[in-house]
Amino acid sequence: MEGTGSSRELRARNYLEKHRIMELLNYLTTHLIFFQPDKPREYLISLLEQLRIAKITGVAFPFFMDHSNIVSMFEMMDTSNKGTISFVQYKQALITLGLCTADEVLKDDGHVITLDKFKHEV
């Protein structure tokens, strides 16, 4: 009986990975937390509609962060106000924004990430 549960769990995990559901949920949650709309359900519906339109039309994935949002995100990670963040923080931000996957290999050159580099990459 335990094998059936494991098989179901594996199928569920494969399904979530295949359709990138966790990345989508992470993206939606990040936007909710970042923008904190007054009507979160309506905001999510609108966001999902925009994603659907982007997929159908082949238009680039909608990205709603402007310069000030990117700076704010960097400042939230730079808790010591040094003007830099670690590579780990940088990678997690890219994952959170849906700009890379958790298993994607990024080259850590050993240097900290500055605001300028973060703005350029994001």
Side-chain angles (χ1 to χ4, degrees):
M1 191 77 163
E2 190 173 318
T4 304
S6 298
S7 176
R8 252 188 247 151
E9 185 178 324
L10 181 60
R11 284 195 313 267
R13 187 177 310 130
N14 288 340
Y15 177 84
L16 293 174
E17 288 176 8
K18 176 182 177 185
H19 296 285
R20 301 178 63 192
I21 300 299
M22 297 311 295
E23 292 163 7
L24 174 63
L25 292 175
N26 195 13
Y27 177 82
L28 295 172
T29 304
T30 299
H31 277 265
L32 277 178
I33 292 169
F34 191 82
F35 292 108
Q36 298 183 5
D38 292 331
K39 298 179 179 180
R41 288 186 181 101
E42 290 177 21
Y43 178 80
L44 287 173
I45 290 168
S46 173
L47 191 55
L48 287 168
E49 286 174 350
Q50 291 175 15
L51 291 170
R52 183 181 62 82
I53 291 167
K55 184 173 185 176
I56 291 169
T57 61
V59 173
F61 191 73
F63 195 64
F64 305 106
M65 296 186 82
D66 62 15
H67 175 77
S68 65
N69 300 138
I70 293 169
V71 171
S72 294
M73 179 179 242
F74 181 88
E75 289 173 347
M76 288 183 343
M77 291 183 292
D78 180 20
T79 56
S80 61
N81 294 319
K82 292 181 180 178
T84 60
I85 59 174
S86 70
F87 182 80
V88 172
Q89 289 171 305
Y90 167 71
K91 183 171 181 182
Q92 188 57 51
L94 294 179
I95 293 167
T96 300
L97 294 170
L99 299 175
C100 79
T101 61
D103 56 342
E104 192 171 335
V105 177
L106 299 177
K107 184 178 181 235
D108 181 359
D109 61 6
H111 295 97
V112 292
I113 308 300
T114 64
L115 176 58
D116 287 338
K117 179 171 181 165
F118 187 74
K119 287 190 296 189
H120 176 73
E121 297 293 324
V122 172

